[in-house]
Amino acid sequence: MIDVTIENFEAEVVAASMQVPVLVDFWAPWCGPCKTLGPILEKLEVAYEGRFKLVKIDSDQEQQLAGMFGIRSIPTCILMMGGRPVDGFMGAQPEGKLREFLDKHLPSEGELAAEAEADEAHQLLEAGDTQAALQKLADALAADPANDDARFDYVRLLIATGGYEEAGALLTEPLKRIPQPTRFEALNQWLHCMLFVHNDDRGNWEFAQFDAVIAQNKRDFDTRFGKAQALAAEGQWAASMDELLEIIMRDKEWNGQAARKLYVGILELLTPPKPKKQDAIPGKSSGGIELLGKGAAEQDEATQLVNGYRRKLSMALN
C-alpha cells in the first residue's frame, strides 16, 4: 500500500497501471467506513500476491486529485488499468464482494504464470536458445490454455522448427471457432506450405522447374500454386504473393479461392503485431513470423511491404 499525492500520482498510479492494475482508495482520517474498508483492501493486496497494486489518497489533503476523479463521497475506489480508470465502487464492501470486483478485472494466476513463461521464451529466442524457448511456450500454454498469444507464438515457433504434427494439433481448436481467428488461419496456411515442401514430390523441385512447366501453360494454376507454397516455405513472401496474384487475376475462384487465402495469410503473418499495453516501449515487440525481435526500421519496411501488397490484392479483386 502506498500513500499518493499530486507529486507522485503520475508515477505511482498512471505509469504503474501500465504494468499492473492499480486500485486507488480515496479516503479521509475522519471517515468511519474508510477505516473498515482500508484493512480489508490491504489484506487482499497481500493475498493477491502482486496481481494488483493498492494506493491510498487522502481526499481532504489531495482535493485536486479528488476533483479529477469527481469524488463525491468516501470511501470511493477506482481501478486503473492501462493509464485510465476502468471501474470503481463507493462505500465499504465485504471481503467477498471485493474479491468479486477484483476477479472480474484482474488476470488469473494461470494467466500471470503464462505471461511470465512467454516473456522468458522471447528472451530465450533473442539469445538463440530455440529449444528452451519452445519449452517455455509449452509451459505458458499449459498454465493458461485460453491464452491465444501463447498458443500463436508456440505454434509459430513449432512450424519454424519443423514440429508440424504438434502445430497442427494445436491449431485444431482455434480453427473450429466461429468466426475463425485470422492469425490462426494464417499459421494454418503457412503450415500447409511447409507440409507441401516435405510431402509433395514437387517439394524438391528447383524454382526453374516450376517455371518451365508454367511456361507451357500459364493457366496451370496447380503448378503455380505449388511454386507459391514453396516460396512461402522458404520465407520468400513477396515472390510467393507475386505468383498468387497471377492466379487471382486469371481466376479469383480457383480451388475454393486457395490463392487468395494463402495471400491473405501471408499478409497476416507479415503484419507487425499491435504492442501490448505493457510493451508500449518502442522496440520491445516482435513482428511477422521472425523468431527474433524487429527494430523500428524493419517494422517500417514490413509495414510498407504489407501495405503495397494489400493494394495489389485489392486491385486484382476489383
Side-chain angles (χ1 to χ4, degrees), residues 3-10 12-14 24-26 55-72 78:
D3 288 313
V4 166
T5 66
I6 192 68
E7 286 78 16
N8 65 355
F9 176 79
E10 182 69 28
E12 297 293 350
V13 177
V14 178
V24 184
D25 175 20
F26 285 92
V55 304
K56 297 173 73 68
I57 296 179
D58 185 331
S59 58
D60 284 352
Q61 298 296 321
E62 302 297 331
Q63 294 184 20
Q64 182 177 348
L65 292 176
M68 285 170 51
F69 285 89
I71 303 301
R72 291 185 171 86
I78 306 292

Side-chain angles (χ1 to χ4, degrees), residues 49-252:
E49 297 181 320
R51 288 167 59 194
F52 79 97
K53 172 183 175 181
L54 175 65
V55 304
K56 297 173 73 68
I57 296 179
D58 185 331
S59 58
D60 284 352
Q61 298 296 321
E62 302 297 331
Q63 294 184 20
Q64 182 177 348
L65 292 176
M68 285 170 51
F69 285 89
I71 303 301
R72 291 185 171 86
S73 66
I74 53 174
T76 292
C77 289
I78 306 292
L79 185 64
M80 299 281 292
M81 297 177 69
R84 63 184 182 85
V86 296
D87 203 352
F89 62 87
M90 292 187 294
Q93 304 286 330
E95 182 175 329
K97 288 292 184 183
L98 293 173
R99 286 182 177 273
E100 287 180 16
F101 173 83
L102 292 168
D103 291 342
K104 182 171 66 173
H105 296 286
L106 303 185
S108 67
E109 292 181 6
E111 289 171 333
L112 287 174
E115 208 170 288
E117 297 284 5
D119 286 345
E120 286 188 50
H122 296 152
Q123 293 171 13
L124 288 165
L125 277 177
E126 292 287 352
D129 194 342
T130 304
Q131 289 304 312
L134 278 168
Q135 185 58 55
K136 284 294 179 182
L137 288 170
D139 293 342
L141 192 57
D144 182 16
N147 189 321
D148 274 355
D149 289 338
R151 183 181 296 270
F152 179 83
D153 288 345
Y154 187 31
V155 172
R156 181 178 63 181
L157 190 52
L158 282 169
I159 296 173
T161 54
Y164 306 135
E165 185 175 349
E166 187 174 359
L170 289 171
L171 283 173
T172 300
E173 185 276 325
L175 292 178
K176 288 181 179 178
R177 300 179 199 167
I178 301 175
Q180 195 175 81
T182 305
R183 60 175 172 167
F184 286 112
E185 172 56 23
L187 285 180
N188 191 43
Q189 291 290 337
W190 185 31
L191 175 60
H192 282 131
C193 291
M194 303 300 283
L195 291 173
F196 168 81
V197 169
H198 281 75
N199 299 331
D200 194 288
D201 290 340
R202 294 168 297 174
N204 294 318
W205 282 14
E206 298 290 336
F207 291 121
Q209 291 178 264
F210 285 103
D211 292 336
V213 175
I214 294 169
Q216 297 176 21
N217 177 12
K218 293 189 181 297
R219 294 186 67 86
D220 184 349
F221 298 147
D222 187 61
T223 299
R224 195 181 288 275
F225 187 73
K227 181 185 178 185
Q229 287 183 296
L231 286 164
E234 288 195 2
Q236 297 189 46
W237 308 111
S240 177
M241 287 188 286
D242 287 338
E243 294 294 339
L244 295 169
L245 274 174
E246 292 293 332
I247 298 174
I248 294 167
M249 287 188 293
R250 289 176 169 83
D251 186 349
K252 299 178 180 65

Side-chain angles (χ1 to χ4, degrees), residues 257-287:
Q257 299 188 14
R260 183 193 63 79
K261 291 176 182 177
L262 176 53
Y263 191 107
V264 171
I266 292 173
L267 289 176
E268 178 67 20
L269 290 171
L270 291 176
T271 301
K274 295 178 181 178
K276 300 176 184 178
K277 282 182 288 193
Q278 65 267 29
D279 290 339
I281 302 171
K284 284 195 68 178
S285 59
S286 61

